[in-house]
Amino acid sequence: MTTVLEKIARQLVSRTSFSPIATARATDAVVDTIGCMIAGVNDAAPQSVAAAFRDEIGTEGISQVLTGGRASHSLAALVNGTAAHCLDFDDNFHPARAHASAVLVPALLSVATTSDDISGERLIHAYLAGLEGQAAIGFGVIPSHYNRGWHGTSTIGCLGAAAGVAVLLGLTEAQIAHSMSLAASMASGPKGQFGTGAKPFHAGMAARNAVEAALLARSGLSGRLDILERANGFLDLFGGDDAAGWGELSFDDKHIIETRGLVTKLHPCCASTHRAIDASLDLQKEYGFSIEDIERVETKVGRSAFDNLAFPDPSDEMQARFSMQYCLAVTLSQGSLSLRDFTPSAAKRPELRVHMAKISITSYSIEEERGFERLPHKVSISLKDGTQFSVERLHANGAIEAPLTEGQKLAKFRDCIRWAGRKDSDQLYGNLKSICSVDSVKSVSELITRLLAKC
C-alpha cells in the first residue's frame, strides 16, 4: 500500500511545469522573504544565534550568513531563517498554518546560492514543491494540530521544506519521501514560545532541519515511510483531537499557490491581529473618527488567534507583536503600523496605554468553529457619542482575495531595506523580481552581499 509520504513525493515529482500565475506568486514570495531576511539581520534573535556558533562562521564557509560571514548549508539556513521571521513581517500560508516562506526560502537559498548550476527557474520549482508539500502535510492535521499548540512553521514547515530542498537537489522520489520522514523526527516547536526570541528561532530551526534531512536522505539515511499515519507517528502524536488524517488527500491540477495562495503581510506583527487591523482601518477611513472619539473596541477572533494574542499589556516589542490591544491602539492612533512601532521604546509608550484599555478580545467557541476551517474576525467600535460600527473580515489584505498592489510590495521591500540601514533597494528589488530567468541563483547571494556591505 502506498504511504502518505510516497503519495506526496510522487505528486511533487510528477508536477514538472507551473502556470505563469504560480511562478509569479512564488517569485513574489521569494522576493518578499529576502526583504524580511535583510530587515531582520540586526535583530537580537538572529544575532544571538550567530553568536552562539561564531566559531563555525568565517570567510571560508559554503553559504552566506546574512548577519556576516559564511558557514555550512545548515547553519546558514538556521541564522537566515531566524532573521526571516524575527520581525513577524514574513508571509502566512493557511493550509499549513505556517510561515511557509520563512522556512522554505532560507533553506533553499543556503543550497542554491552555493552552486553555479542551479537556475532561478529550478529554485522557483523547488519552492513550489516545498509549498505543496507543506499543504499536503497540513491537509491531514490542520487546524487541529495548530489548535493543540504546535507551531506549524517549525513542524509542518520542516517537513514541507525538506521536500523542497530534496527537489532542489534533484533527489529521487524515494529520497524525497525519506527526506520528509527524517524531517518528521526533527519537527518541534510549541506555540507557548510566542512573544519570545524562540519563536523566530523556530523558523530557523525548521530551515536547518529541512536542509539536513534532505542531505541525510541523499547520503542514504532512511526513515519509516508510513511515519505520518502509523501508530506513534505524526498524526498520532501531533494531530490533536480533531485531525482528519490523509484518507481524502488529493491534488488539484492547479497548484495550491493558485487556489489558496499566500498572505503577504502589510503589518509587522502576528497575523492573528491583521483582519481586525484591516477592518478597523476600513471603518476609520469611512467614518473619520479618531481614537480619542472611541469608547471601546470589541474584537472576536478564532480560538487559535486568541491563544496567540496572549499579551494585553506587553512589556517589550516581541510581546507587542502578539498583543491585539497594542496593535489596534497604534493603528487607530496613527493610521498604520510599521517596523518603527516594534522597538523596545515604542512598545512602552505610556500614551498608548489609555487607549489599549479600551480594547477587548474574545474568541469563537469550540462549537462555533466546528466544521469550519476559518471564520471571519469581527470588530465592533463604540464611540463616546453613542455611535456604533461593526464589521467582519474573513481575509486580510495581502491574501489572494485582497492582493497587494505592486506599489505596496515595493514600498514594503524598501521599508525592510531601510530598516537594515541599507540603500539601493529598488535595484535589488528589480533584480530579484527577475530571479526566475537567471542562469545561476549564486548571483543573488552576490547581490545581497554587496547590499549588506553598504551603510
Side-chain angles (χ1 to χ4, degrees):
M1 178 180 290
T2 302
T3 68
V4 177
L5 287 181
E6 288 173 311
K7 184 175 182 179
I8 296 171
R10 186 165 303 159
Q11 166 64 19
L12 301 187
V13 169
S14 67
R15 197 189 288 277
T16 57
S17 62
F18 300 93
S19 72
I21 291 175
T23 300
R25 288 180 179 170
T27 299
D28 281 344
V30 171
V31 175
D32 181 73
T33 307
I34 289 174
C36 292
M37 288 165 60
I38 294 171
V41 293
N42 297 321
D43 187 80
Q47 288 288 334
S48 295
V49 174
F53 299 99
R54 63 171 61 91
D55 292 344
E56 300 175 44
I57 300 174
T59 59
E60 303 301 323
I62 193 169
S63 296
Q64 180 185 20
V65 180
L66 295 191
T67 54
R70 305 186 70 82
S72 65
H73 293 314
S74 59
L75 183 50
L78 175 66
V79 177
N80 296 342
T82 305
H85 191 41
C86 64
L87 303 178
D88 229 306
F89 213 3
D90 52 297
D91 63 37
N92 289 97
F93 184 52
H94 293 313
R97 291 281 178 96
H99 291 265
S101 299
V103 181
L104 263 171
V105 175
L108 293 172
L109 287 179
S110 74
V111 176
T113 57
T114 63
S115 171
D116 293 323
D117 301 326
I118 297 179
S119 67
E121 182 180 16
R122 185 170 160 189
L123 173 73
I124 296 301
H125 181 169
Y127 174 90
L128 288 166
L131 195 69
E132 190 164 30
Q134 289 193 37
I137 300 297
F139 178 91
V141 295
I142 291 298
S144 181
H145 171 77
Y146 192 82
N147 289 339
R148 183 67 183 84
W150 292 107
H151 188 192
T153 301
S154 52
T155 53
I156 296 169
C158 177
L159 274 73
V165 176
V167 168
L168 183 72
L169 292 170
L171 302 193
T172 66
E173 182 180 311
Q175 288 172 317
I176 293 169
H178 282 296
S179 295
M180 289 186 284
S181 176
L182 295 172
S185 291
M186 302 174 177
S188 185
K191 290 202 299 173
Q193 295 283 23
F194 285 13
T196 74
K199 187 195 186 242
F201 174 72
H202 284 176
M205 177 179 68
R208 175 197 64 193
N209 290 343
V211 170
E212 293 184 350
L215 293 176
L216 288 165
R218 184 176 68 173
S219 70
L221 192 65
S222 62
R224 285 188 175 273
L225 293 181
D226 63 350
I227 196 60
L228 294 186
E229 65 269 36
R230 67 172 284 107
N232 294 324
F234 192 86
L235 178 65
D236 193 3
L237 300 177
F238 286 78
D241 295 335
D242 301 314
W246 293 273
E248 302 299 321
L249 176 65
S250 62
F251 298 93
D252 293 336
D253 290 337
K254 289 185 176 181
H255 190 276
I256 194 74
I257 205 170
E258 298 178 71
T259 58
R260 294 294 301 277
L262 297 151
V263 183
T264 307
K265 283 191 172 185
L266 266 184
H267 317 297
C269 52
C270 179
S272 297
T273 67
H274 284 212
R275 286 182 272 170
I277 290 170
D278 293 337
S280 298
L281 285 173
D282 288 345
L283 288 175
Q284 191 176 54
K285 185 179 297 183
E286 182 175 358
Y287 296 105
F289 55 84
S290 70
I291 197 166
E292 286 77 15
D293 299 325
I294 295 174
E295 180 72 29
R296 67 182 181 277
V297 180
E298 298 170 318
T299 64
K300 185 174 183 177
V301 302
R303 288 188 298 126
S304 62
F306 181 85
D307 291 341
N308 292 344
L309 303 175
F311 302 99
D313 186 25
S315 60
D316 57 36
E317 75 279 13
M318 291 299 294
Q319 292 184 4
R321 293 185 178 102
F322 297 88
S323 171
M324 180 72 85
Q325 289 79 2
Y326 179 82
C327 292
L328 275 190
V330 174
T331 298
L332 291 168
S333 295
Q334 60 192 37
S336 65
L337 278 165
S338 74
L339 291 167
R340 294 185 299 275
D341 295 309
F342 296 95
T343 65
S345 59
K348 296 178 181 178
R349 286 173 285 181
E351 65 270 20
L352 290 174
R353 300 291 153 166
V354 63
H355 300 306
M356 289 166 60
K358 304 174 182 178
I359 300 167
S360 64
I361 178 172
T362 59
S363 73
Y364 288 99
S365 67
I366 294 175
E367 291 73 23
E368 287 174 310
E369 285 194 341
R370 185 166 286 119
F372 294 92
E373 182 186 351
R374 286 167 61 78
L375 288 170
H377 287 187
K378 300 180 179 182
V379 176
S380 298
I381 296 178
S382 300
L383 304 185
K384 293 175 180 178
D385 66 6
T387 306
Q388 295 185 331
F389 308 107
S390 296
V391 67
E392 297 182 358
R393 192 75 184 252
L394 183 60
H395 303 289
N397 289 332
I400 61 172
E401 295 83 2
L404 303 189
T405 66
E406 189 59 37
Q408 288 174 313
K409 296 172 191 175
L410 176 57
K412 175 182 175 179
F413 191 83
R414 286 170 173 168
D415 192 25
C416 286
I417 303 307
R418 282 195 300 267
W419 189 249
R422 268 63 179 186
K423 301 176 182 178
D424 299 331
S425 57
D426 288 14
Q427 180 180 359
L428 177 61
Y429 184 81
N431 288 329
L432 292 176
K433 287 283 284 186
S434 61
I435 192 171
C436 199
S437 63
V438 301
D439 293 330
S440 175
V441 182
K442 193 173 183 179
S443 61
V444 172
S445 178
E446 295 165 356
L447 289 170
I448 295 172
T449 298
R450 287 199 293 271
L451 180 134
L452 290 175
K454 297 178 181 179
C455 297

